[in-house]
mmCIF file of all heavy atoms in Angstrom:
data_model
loop_
_atom_site.group_PDB
_atom_site.id
_atom_site.type_symbol
_atom_site.label_atom_id
_atom_site.label_comp_id
_atom_site.label_asym_id
_atom_site.label_seq_id
_atom_site.Cartn_x
_atom_site.Cartn_y
_atom_site.Cartn_z
ATOM 1 N N VAL A 85 122.792 43.317 178.516
ATOM 2 C CA VAL A 85 121.420 43.251 178.016
ATOM 3 C C VAL A 85 120.540 42.720 179.137
ATOM 4 O O VAL A 85 120.794 41.637 179.674
ATOM 5 C CB VAL A 85 121.312 42.323 176.780
ATOM 6 C CG1 VAL A 85 119.874 42.251 176.290
ATOM 7 C CG2 VAL A 85 122.250 42.783 175.676
ATOM 8 N N GLU A 86 119.525 43.491 179.486
ATOM 9 C CA GLU A 86 118.563 43.055 180.500
ATOM 10 C C GLU A 86 117.173 43.101 179.890
ATOM 11 O O GLU A 86 116.788 44.102 179.283
ATOM 12 C CB GLU A 86 118.613 43.963 181.720
ATOM 13 C CG GLU A 86 119.946 43.894 182.459
ATOM 14 C CD GLU A 86 119.976 44.808 183.655
ATOM 15 O OE1 GLU A 86 120.276 45.999 183.467
ATOM 16 O OE2 GLU A 86 119.682 44.322 184.764
ATOM 17 N N GLY A 87 116.450 42.004 180.027
ATOM 18 C CA GLY A 87 115.107 41.922 179.478
ATOM 19 C C GLY A 87 114.108 41.477 180.522
ATOM 20 O O GLY A 87 114.436 40.691 181.412
ATOM 21 N N ARG A 88 112.901 42.027 180.419
ATOM 22 C CA ARG A 88 111.820 41.614 181.320
ATOM 23 C C ARG A 88 110.590 41.360 180.469
ATOM 24 O O ARG A 88 110.252 42.141 179.584
ATOM 25 C CB ARG A 88 111.539 42.684 182.363
ATOM 26 C CG ARG A 88 110.469 42.230 183.361
ATOM 27 C CD ARG A 88 110.340 43.168 184.494
ATOM 28 N NE ARG A 88 109.871 44.463 184.002
ATOM 29 C CZ ARG A 88 109.745 45.538 184.768
ATOM 30 N NH1 ARG A 88 110.078 45.479 186.028
ATOM 31 N NH2 ARG A 88 109.299 46.662 184.251
ATOM 32 N N GLN A 89 109.928 40.245 180.729
ATOM 33 C CA GLN A 89 108.774 39.811 179.951
ATOM 34 C C GLN A 89 107.630 39.516 180.909
ATOM 35 O O GLN A 89 107.817 38.827 181.909
ATOM 36 C CB GLN A 89 109.165 38.556 179.176
ATOM 37 C CG GLN A 89 108.121 38.037 178.251
ATOM 38 C CD GLN A 89 108.641 36.846 177.477
ATOM 39 O OE1 GLN A 89 109.017 35.841 178.067
ATOM 40 N NE2 GLN A 89 108.680 36.957 176.158
ATOM 41 N N THR A 90 106.434 40.042 180.596
ATOM 42 C CA THR A 90 105.243 39.775 181.399
ATOM 43 C C THR A 90 104.202 39.136 180.498
ATOM 44 O O THR A 90 103.792 39.726 179.496
ATOM 45 C CB THR A 90 104.683 41.076 182.015
ATOM 46 O OG1 THR A 90 105.722 41.734 182.733
ATOM 47 C CG2 THR A 90 103.526 40.775 182.958
ATOM 48 N N ASP A 91 103.768 37.915 180.847
ATOM 49 C CA ASP A 91 102.824 37.186 180.007
ATOM 50 C C ASP A 91 101.373 37.453 180.414
ATOM 51 O O ASP A 91 101.102 38.240 181.326
ATOM 52 C CB ASP A 91 103.151 35.691 179.987
ATOM 53 C CG ASP A 91 102.933 35.000 181.325
ATOM 54 O OD1 ASP A 91 102.245 35.561 182.217
ATOM 55 O OD2 ASP A 91 103.452 33.884 181.498
ATOM 56 N N ALA A 92 100.438 36.769 179.760
ATOM 57 C CA ALA A 92 99.005 36.988 179.991
ATOM 58 C C ALA A 92 98.574 36.658 181.414
ATOM 59 O O ALA A 92 97.603 37.211 181.916
ATOM 60 C CB ALA A 92 98.190 36.166 178.993
ATOM 61 N N MET A 93 99.294 35.762 182.068
ATOM 62 C CA MET A 93 98.968 35.387 183.454
ATOM 63 C C MET A 93 99.600 36.336 184.468
ATOM 64 O O MET A 93 99.451 36.159 185.670
ATOM 65 C CB MET A 93 99.432 33.958 183.731
ATOM 66 C CG MET A 93 98.812 32.926 182.809
ATOM 67 S SD MET A 93 97.026 32.823 183.007
ATOM 68 C CE MET A 93 96.936 32.000 184.574
ATOM 69 N N GLY A 94 100.328 37.329 183.971
ATOM 70 C CA GLY A 94 100.998 38.270 184.863
ATOM 71 C C GLY A 94 102.339 37.756 185.374
ATOM 72 O O GLY A 94 102.972 38.399 186.200
ATOM 73 N N GLU A 95 102.752 36.590 184.875
ATOM 74 C CA GLU A 95 104.039 36.029 185.278
ATOM 75 C C GLU A 95 105.158 36.830 184.616
ATOM 76 O O GLU A 95 105.110 37.127 183.433
ATOM 77 C CB GLU A 95 104.148 34.565 184.858
ATOM 78 C CG GLU A 95 103.172 33.647 185.558
ATOM 79 C CD GLU A 95 103.475 33.490 187.039
ATOM 80 O OE1 GLU A 95 104.660 33.428 187.411
ATOM 81 O OE2 GLU A 95 102.510 33.439 187.829
ATOM 82 N N GLU A 96 106.150 37.144 185.415
ATOM 83 C CA GLU A 96 107.267 37.937 184.926
ATOM 84 C C GLU A 96 108.533 37.086 184.889
ATOM 85 O O GLU A 96 108.806 36.333 185.816
ATOM 86 C CB GLU A 96 107.463 39.124 185.873
ATOM 87 C CG GLU A 96 108.322 40.211 185.339
ATOM 88 C CD GLU A 96 108.339 41.402 186.267
ATOM 89 O OE1 GLU A 96 107.385 42.213 186.214
ATOM 90 O OE2 GLU A 96 109.309 41.521 187.041
ATOM 91 N N SER A 97 109.283 37.206 183.806
ATOM 92 C CA SER A 97 110.571 36.530 183.719
ATOM 93 C C SER A 97 111.606 37.553 183.274
ATOM 94 O O SER A 97 111.303 38.494 182.529
ATOM 95 C CB SER A 97 110.518 35.343 182.757
ATOM 96 O OG SER A 97 110.151 35.765 181.470
ATOM 97 N N CYS A 98 112.825 37.362 183.750
ATOM 98 C CA CYS A 98 113.897 38.300 183.455
ATOM 99 C C CYS A 98 115.124 37.551 182.949
ATOM 100 O O CYS A 98 115.357 36.401 183.315
ATOM 101 C CB CYS A 98 114.284 39.080 184.712
ATOM 102 S SG CYS A 98 112.943 40.089 185.378
ATOM 103 N N ILE A 99 115.879 38.225 182.101
ATOM 104 C CA ILE A 99 117.146 37.689 181.628
ATOM 105 C C ILE A 99 118.204 38.782 181.769
ATOM 106 O O ILE A 99 117.882 39.975 181.781
ATOM 107 C CB ILE A 99 117.104 37.230 180.150
ATOM 108 C CG1 ILE A 99 116.757 38.408 179.231
ATOM 109 C CG2 ILE A 99 116.140 36.092 179.945
ATOM 110 C CD1 ILE A 99 117.545 38.415 177.969
ATOM 111 N N LYS A 100 119.446 38.347 181.875
ATOM 112 C CA LYS A 100 120.559 39.290 181.875
ATOM 113 C C LYS A 100 121.735 38.616 181.198
ATOM 114 O O LYS A 100 122.095 37.490 181.539
ATOM 115 C CB LYS A 100 120.942 39.721 183.287
ATOM 116 C CG LYS A 100 122.048 40.765 183.305
ATOM 117 C CD LYS A 100 122.303 41.283 184.705
ATOM 118 C CE LYS A 100 123.381 42.353 184.681
ATOM 119 N NZ LYS A 100 123.576 42.929 186.020
ATOM 120 N N VAL A 101 122.304 39.308 180.219
ATOM 121 C CA VAL A 101 123.472 38.815 179.492
ATOM 122 C C VAL A 101 124.534 39.907 179.547
ATOM 123 O O VAL A 101 124.236 41.077 179.274
ATOM 124 C CB VAL A 101 123.124 38.513 178.012
ATOM 125 C CG1 VAL A 101 124.366 38.145 177.227
ATOM 126 C CG2 VAL A 101 122.069 37.427 177.917
ATOM 127 N N VAL A 102 125.750 39.534 179.929
ATOM 128 C CA VAL A 102 126.884 40.446 179.889
ATOM 129 C C VAL A 102 127.934 39.795 179.003
ATOM 130 O O VAL A 102 128.287 38.638 179.212
ATOM 131 C CB VAL A 102 127.457 40.715 181.298
ATOM 132 C CG1 VAL A 102 128.654 41.658 181.221
ATOM 133 C CG2 VAL A 102 126.376 41.296 182.215
ATOM 134 N N ALA A 103 128.393 40.540 177.993
ATOM 135 C CA ALA A 103 129.350 39.964 177.039
ATOM 136 C C ALA A 103 130.342 41.024 176.574
ATOM 137 O O ALA A 103 130.007 42.207 176.512
ATOM 138 C CB ALA A 103 128.604 39.398 175.829
ATOM 139 N N GLU A 104 131.524 40.570 176.238
ATOM 140 C CA GLU A 104 132.494 41.446 175.588
ATOM 141 C C GLU A 104 132.149 41.497 174.112
ATOM 142 O O GLU A 104 131.682 40.514 173.540
ATOM 143 C CB GLU A 104 133.907 40.922 175.781
ATOM 144 C CG GLU A 104 134.386 41.023 177.205
ATOM 145 C CD GLU A 104 135.825 40.565 177.372
ATOM 146 O OE1 GLU A 104 136.449 40.103 176.390
ATOM 147 O OE2 GLU A 104 136.320 40.665 178.490
ATOM 148 N N GLY A 105 132.363 42.646 173.517
ATOM 149 C CA GLY A 105 132.039 42.788 172.110
ATOM 150 C C GLY A 105 132.903 43.829 171.439
ATOM 151 O O GLY A 105 133.904 44.291 171.996
ATOM 152 N N ARG A 106 132.474 44.210 170.241
ATOM 153 C CA ARG A 106 133.183 45.211 169.451
ATOM 154 C C ARG A 106 132.182 46.243 168.945
ATOM 155 O O ARG A 106 131.035 45.916 168.653
ATOM 156 C CB ARG A 106 133.894 44.551 168.270
ATOM 157 C CG ARG A 106 134.932 43.543 168.699
ATOM 158 C CD ARG A 106 135.617 42.843 167.524
ATOM 159 N NE ARG A 106 134.742 42.431 166.429
ATOM 160 C CZ ARG A 106 134.152 41.244 166.347
ATOM 161 N NH1 ARG A 106 134.316 40.351 167.292
ATOM 162 N NH2 ARG A 106 133.392 40.941 165.306
ATOM 163 N N HIS A 107 132.644 47.474 168.840
ATOM 164 C CA HIS A 107 131.821 48.575 168.350
ATOM 165 C C HIS A 107 132.514 49.221 167.158
ATOM 166 O O HIS A 107 133.733 49.363 167.140
ATOM 167 C CB HIS A 107 131.649 49.633 169.450
ATOM 168 C CG HIS A 107 131.120 50.933 168.926
ATOM 169 N ND1 HIS A 107 131.941 51.935 168.436
ATOM 170 C CD2 HIS A 107 129.857 51.392 168.785
ATOM 171 C CE1 HIS A 107 131.196 52.951 168.033
ATOM 172 N NE2 HIS A 107 129.932 52.647 168.235
ATOM 173 N N PHE A 108 131.708 49.582 166.159
ATOM 174 C CA PHE A 108 132.227 50.441 165.103
ATOM 175 C C PHE A 108 131.105 51.324 164.587
ATOM 176 O O PHE A 108 129.919 51.045 164.792
ATOM 177 C CB PHE A 108 132.902 49.641 163.975
ATOM 178 C CG PHE A 108 131.982 48.766 163.160
ATOM 179 C CD1 PHE A 108 131.417 49.233 161.981
ATOM 180 C CD2 PHE A 108 131.699 47.470 163.558
ATOM 181 C CE1 PHE A 108 130.586 48.423 161.216
ATOM 182 C CE2 PHE A 108 130.875 46.658 162.806
ATOM 183 C CZ PHE A 108 130.305 47.135 161.636
ATOM 184 N N TYR A 109 131.489 52.412 163.944
ATOM 185 C CA TYR A 109 130.552 53.396 163.408
ATOM 186 C C TYR A 109 130.715 53.431 161.897
ATOM 187 O O TYR A 109 131.840 53.523 161.399
ATOM 188 C CB TYR A 109 130.856 54.769 164.012
ATOM 189 C CG TYR A 109 129.878 55.834 163.597
ATOM 190 C CD1 TYR A 109 128.667 55.975 164.260
ATOM 191 C CD2 TYR A 109 130.178 56.704 162.562
ATOM 192 C CE1 TYR A 109 127.768 56.965 163.890
ATOM 193 C CE2 TYR A 109 129.281 57.694 162.179
ATOM 194 C CZ TYR A 109 128.081 57.819 162.852
ATOM 195 O OH TYR A 109 127.202 58.788 162.480
ATOM 196 N N LYS A 110 129.609 53.329 161.162
ATOM 197 C CA LYS A 110 129.677 53.319 159.709
ATOM 198 C C LYS A 110 128.382 53.878 159.135
ATOM 199 O O LYS A 110 127.289 53.467 159.551
ATOM 200 C CB LYS A 110 129.897 51.889 159.202
ATOM 201 C CG LYS A 110 130.040 51.779 157.710
ATOM 202 C CD LYS A 110 130.324 50.344 157.306
ATOM 203 C CE LYS A 110 130.419 50.248 155.796
ATOM 204 N NZ LYS A 110 130.654 48.866 155.358
ATOM 205 N N ASN A 111 128.494 54.792 158.190
ATOM 206 C CA ASN A 111 127.340 55.350 157.480
ATOM 207 C C ASN A 111 126.223 55.830 158.401
ATOM 208 O O ASN A 111 125.048 55.556 158.174
ATOM 209 C CB ASN A 111 126.787 54.336 156.476
ATOM 210 C CG ASN A 111 127.785 53.980 155.406
ATOM 211 O OD1 ASN A 111 128.613 54.802 155.012
ATOM 212 N ND2 ASN A 111 127.739 52.747 154.938
#
Side-chain angles (χ1 to χ4, degrees):
V85 179
E86 295 180 276
R88 183 171 64 185
Q89 184 177 60
T90 306
D91 67 16
M93 301 297 287
E95 294 292 322
E96 195 174 279
S97 59
C98 298
I99 60 140
K100 183 174 182 176
V101 174
V102 179
E104 291 183 357
R106 299 178 317 269
H107 165 272
F108 67 94
Y109 184 83
K110 182 177 178 182
N111 298 328

